[in-house]
Amino acid sequence: MQVYLTDPKVVSGLNREARSGKMPLSQAAGRAIARGLQKSPQADPEDRLLQLERSLRDHMRSTARDMQIVQELLIEVARAFFVRLPDAIVDEDPTVQAAVDRRIERLLDATAARIVAGRTDRPVPDEGRAFGQAN
């Protein structure tokens, strides 16, 4: 039986499979056709989409782990901060609370703006106001 292939992608895929399996091209074509005729064909070991999916899954795992570490460090910093900062009556003042909320909002806005702009550098002195410095 002779088969003529005109799609260069199919030809290069068969050549790649023949090289990876160390077999003649006709045998690689036969195996590829047999896989295609199965009800649930196995994934090609060189399937780029599968490799990307695995890579993305691994990246997501490591990112989740890194975020957990960052969250735990942030909690420890907050704990150390509050242990050393005495409670004061002024903490209950709604005006003070509003000022603190405004500072936090400015800090978050400045951080979001840097992220959107693709900057990861430290805030410029003008942005320092978000950290509680005088206007």
Side-chain angles (χ1 to χ4, degrees):
M1 170 192 251
Q2 290 183 340
V3 177
Y4 296 99
L5 303 172
T6 57
D7 187 352
K9 291 182 180 179
V10 173
V11 173
S12 67
L14 282 175
N15 284 326
R16 183 178 61 238
E17 184 163 332
R19 280 192 310 271
S20 69
K22 296 179 181 167
M23 63 183 91
L25 186 61
S26 59
Q27 187 178 359
R31 288 179 64 184
I33 291 170
R35 268 197 324 266
L37 295 174
Q38 291 177 351
K39 290 186 180 183
S40 59
Q42 298 173 347
D44 178 9
E46 293 186 40
D47 186 0
R48 288 184 181 182
L49 186 59
L50 183 60
Q51 289 175 351
L52 285 172
E53 183 181 350
R54 288 178 181 155
S55 177
L56 179 61
R57 185 179 56 235
D58 293 344
H59 177 70
M60 288 171 58
R61 281 186 191 140
S62 65
T63 300
R65 182 200 63 222
D66 293 348
M67 284 306 301
Q68 184 177 5
I69 291 169
V70 168
Q71 288 172 347
E72 290 176 13
L73 284 171
L74 182 60
I75 290 170
E76 288 302 316
V77 167
R79 186 185 328 268
F81 179 75
F82 290 127
V83 163
R84 287 163 180 77
L85 184 69
D87 287 339
I89 295 173
V90 75
D91 291 342
E92 303 299 322
D93 184 359
T95 307
V96 172
Q97 287 295 323
V100 168
D101 290 342
R102 276 195 321 274
R103 287 179 181 171
I104 290 172
E105 285 300 318
R106 283 195 307 230
L107 171 66
L108 293 174
D109 290 343
T111 302
R114 281 193 311 277
I115 290 171
V116 168
R119 290 180 19 226
T120 56
D121 54 343
R122 296 177 184 246
V124 294
D126 188 40
E127 293 172 342
R129 289 181 297 191
F131 297 102
Q133 297 172 353
N135 290 341

